[in-house]
Amino acid sequence: MKILLGISGGIAAYKTPELVRLLKKAGHQVRVACTRNALELVSRIALETVSGEPVLFETFTPRTHPGVEHIDLAGWPDAVVIAPATANVIAKLACGLADDFLTTVLLATPAPVWIAPGMNTRMWEHPATLENVQRLIGRGVGVIGPDSGELACGTSGPGRMSEPSVIVGILEEHFARPRPLAGRRVLITAGATREHLDPVRFISNPSTGRMGVALARAARELGAEVTLVHGHLEVPVPDGVVAVPAGSAIELHRAVFEWKDRADLLIMTAAVGDYMSASPAAEKMKKEALGATLTLQLVRTPDILAELAQSGNDPSGAGTAPRAPRPKLVGFAAETAGGDESRLLELARQKLSRKGCDALFANDVSIAGAGFAAETNQGVLLFADGHVVWVPQGTKDQVAASLLESVVASLLL
Ligand code: CTP
C-alpha cells in the first residue's frame, strides 16, 4: 500500500518517525506531508531518513518537474493517515479549509482518510471538536483513538494519540478485509424528493437519507465505486462517493437513467414523491388570488424502479429478443404493518412482484426504531427467487452492512 502520513503540530508528532518505521516494516511505501508547526516538534531529517522520501510542507516551492505538487501527491496514496491530528487540523478537514500544504492535499485526495487525534483533554472534549469528529465520521473518515492517559500538558485524560503500533494494527486490519465489490459500480438513491407547487412551496416526506448514505459508505468499504443520486439529505455525503443532486422525482428519474448503464447494482432508497403538481406555478402563488381554500391537482410521478426493471425486459415479450442489460435492482419499502411480521412479508412480496426488481427491503415504520428519521432500522430482505433474510435491529450502518452482504452474495457473485 502507498500510505501518506500527514503530521500536524501536536506534541505526539515526536512519535511519528516510529510510525513511519513500523509502516515501512509492514511493507508499505510511506510519504510524509506535514504542517509547519509539526516540524517544530519532530525532526524533518529523522522523517526523511526513515521514510527515504522528502518531507513535504510548502505549497509554493520551485518545481523540479511539471505538475502541481499537492495535486500530484493527493492522487498518490491508497490511504491517508493524519497522526497526530490536532483539534485545528480536524476542524479544517471538517470545514474543507485548505490553507496550507497538508490541508490542501487532504481536500484534493480521493483516498480513504484516518485520523489519530492527539490533544489536551479539554480540547478533545470541546463540543466543537466532538462535532467536527462526528462530521468526519459521517463522511467516512476513520478515527483511531485517542487513548486516555498522561498528557504532555501534565494532566491525565482522553486525548493521547494512540501508540504507533496500534495505529499500524488498525490500518493493517482494514487493508486485510475482503473487498468483494472492488471494480464494481454501485448506484444508490437517497433522501426525500421535493415536488414544488411554486418556487417557495413543495410537497415532501420526512426521509433524512441516512439509510442510503449508510449504504453508500458500506459499498465504498467493500471496494465499490459509488454514485449517490440524492434528493434532500440531512446527513453529509461520505467522502469518496460521487454525489449527484436531484431535487424532484422527475430530476431523480433523469439522473438515474443517465447513470444506470454505468452501474452493476442500483439500490433505490430514495423516498420518491408519488405525486407532483399538475401545473407548478412559475411565480409565488398569492393568497389573495387563491382565496380561502386551495385545491391542488396532483399527477403521478414516474415509477423509477418499475421502469428500470421493465427496461431490462425482452421488448418483444416473446422471450426471443435479447434482454437489455440493466443493473441488479434493489428496492426499499417503508410499510405500516403494525408490528406483524407476516403482514410485512406479504406487503414486501406484493411490492417486489409489482415493481419487478431483484430484491426488496421492507421495514415496518409503525414499530419503534424502524421509522423514517430513526437512528436504527430493521426489516426483511426478500429476493425475487423467494428467499428471505430477516435483518435484526441495528444502527443504519450495521443494517447497511448486512443488507449489502446478502445482496452481494445473492445477486453479484
Ligand atoms: N420508487 C420509485 N419511483 C417512485 C416511487 C417509489 O422508484 N415514483 C421506489 C422507491 O425508491 C422504493 C420503491 O420504489 O425503492 C418502493 O417505494 P414505495 O413508495 O414504498 O412504493 P410505491 O410504489 O410508491 O407504493 P405505495 O403505494 O406503497 O406508496
Side-chain angles (χ1 to χ4, degrees):
M1 289 278 174
K2 291 184 277 188
I3 299 179
L4 176 66
L5 171 64
I7 309 175
S8 57
I11 195 79
Y14 81 89
K15 296 182 181 175
T16 52
E18 174 65 357
L19 180 54
V20 174
R21 193 186 69 78
L22 292 175
L23 286 169
K24 294 214 34 157
K25 198 170 156 211
H28 304 295
Q29 263 177 278
V30 183
R31 293 180 75 180
V32 176
C34 62
T35 63
R36 283 184 168 276
N37 284 348
L39 292 182
E40 301 286 331
L41 299 154
V42 59
S43 143
R44 178 178 170 181
I45 295 170
L47 288 166
E48 292 189 340
T49 307
V50 281
S51 69
E53 297 277 349
V55 167
L56 300 161
F57 61 98
E58 268 176 329
T59 311
F60 303 106
T61 46
R63 298 306 320 270
T64 48
H65 63 278
V68 181
E69 190 103 63
H70 61 268
I71 300 297
D72 289 352
L73 186 64
W76 175 80
D78 298 307
V80 178
V81 57
I82 310 166
T86 57
N88 186 43
V89 92
I90 289 172
K92 285 190 197 172
L93 190 56
C95 296
L97 289 179
D99 65 352
D100 62 8
F101 186 79
L102 176 60
T103 48
T104 312
V105 174
L106 293 176
L107 202 59
T109 189
V113 175
W114 279 264
I115 56 170
M119 68 196 77
N120 159 274
T121 302
R122 268 197 239 133
M123 291 173 89
W124 170 248
E125 290 179 346
H126 193 286
T129 306
L130 296 179
E131 226 174 274
N132 288 332
V133 170
Q134 280 313 316
R135 260 164 94 180
L136 293 180
I137 292 173
R139 295 212 306 246
V141 170
V143 181
I144 305 173
D147 291 349
S148 218
E150 270 178 39
L151 298 166
C153 50
T155 58
S156 185
R160 232 177 111 97
M161 185 183 87
S162 297
E163 287 305 320
S165 58
V166 173
I167 297 173
V168 175
I170 288 172
L171 293 176
E172 288 289 278
E173 193 197 302
H174 178 85
F175 298 146
R177 272 191 224 149
R179 299 265 182 282
L181 289 180
R184 310 300 279 268
R185 288 169 298 185
V186 177
L187 181 59
I188 297 174
T189 68
T193 62
R194 291 176 167 181
E195 310 308 327
H196 274 268
L197 306 175
D198 72 5
V200 298
R201 301 179 180 91
F202 54 76
I203 303 175
S204 191
N205 60 68
S207 169
T208 59
R210 275 201 181 86
M211 196 60 234
V213 163
L215 278 160
R217 213 169 14 243
R220 176 120 176 89
E221 283 273 298
L222 296 182
E225 268 175 54
V226 184
T227 304
L228 186 74
V229 174
H230 66 89
H232 174 73
L233 293 180
E234 283 174 27
V235 284
V237 174
D239 282 353
V241 167
V242 177
V244 181
S248 64
I250 295 287
E251 284 169 20
L252 203 105
H253 178 270
R254 195 183 307 131
V256 166
F257 273 79
E258 226 172 270
W259 283 85
K260 76 170 171 67
D261 293 335
R262 282 167 271 176
D264 301 298
L265 171 68
L266 167 59
I267 309 180
M268 285 285 303
T269 68
V272 185
D274 290 322
Y275 292 88
M276 59 187 175
S277 169
S279 50
E283 290 190 0
K284 186 181 177 190
M285 297 186 292
K286 289 295 188 186
K287 285 199 290 297
E288 300 87 71
L290 292 169
T293 60
L294 169 63
T295 306
L296 296 174
Q297 198 188 5
L298 303 177
V299 290
R300 287 280 292 271
T301 56
D303 189 326
I304 304 165
L305 187 57
E307 252 187 61
L308 278 165
Q310 209 46 41
S311 75
N313 281 344
D314 171 2
S316 74
T320 48
R323 283 168 73 95
R326 64 148 173 83
K328 296 288 180 191
L329 298 176
V330 180
F332 263 64
E335 304 290 352
T336 47
D340 179 345
E341 286 193 345
S342 56
R343 168 123 183 89
L344 181 65
L345 188 54
E346 185 44 37
L347 288 168
R349 279 215 172 93
Q350 287 167 8
K351 196 161 280 181
L352 182 116
S353 82
R354 190 152 42 81
K355 299 267 180 184
C357 49
D358 301 295
L360 184 107
F361 177 75
N363 58 328
D364 182 354
V365 294
S366 49
I367 61 173
F372 263 121
E375 294 289 337
T376 56
N377 204 357
Q378 68 184 86
V380 62
L381 178 64
L382 174 67
F383 288 88
D385 66 6
H387 90 272
V388 165
V389 180
W390 287 95
V391 180
Q393 191 170 99
T395 63
K396 288 190 171 170
D397 281 325
Q398 289 165 338
V399 170
S402 37
L403 280 178
L404 267 187
E405 195 186 330
S406 300
V407 165
V408 169
S410 300
L411 301 180
L412 292 182
L413 291 184

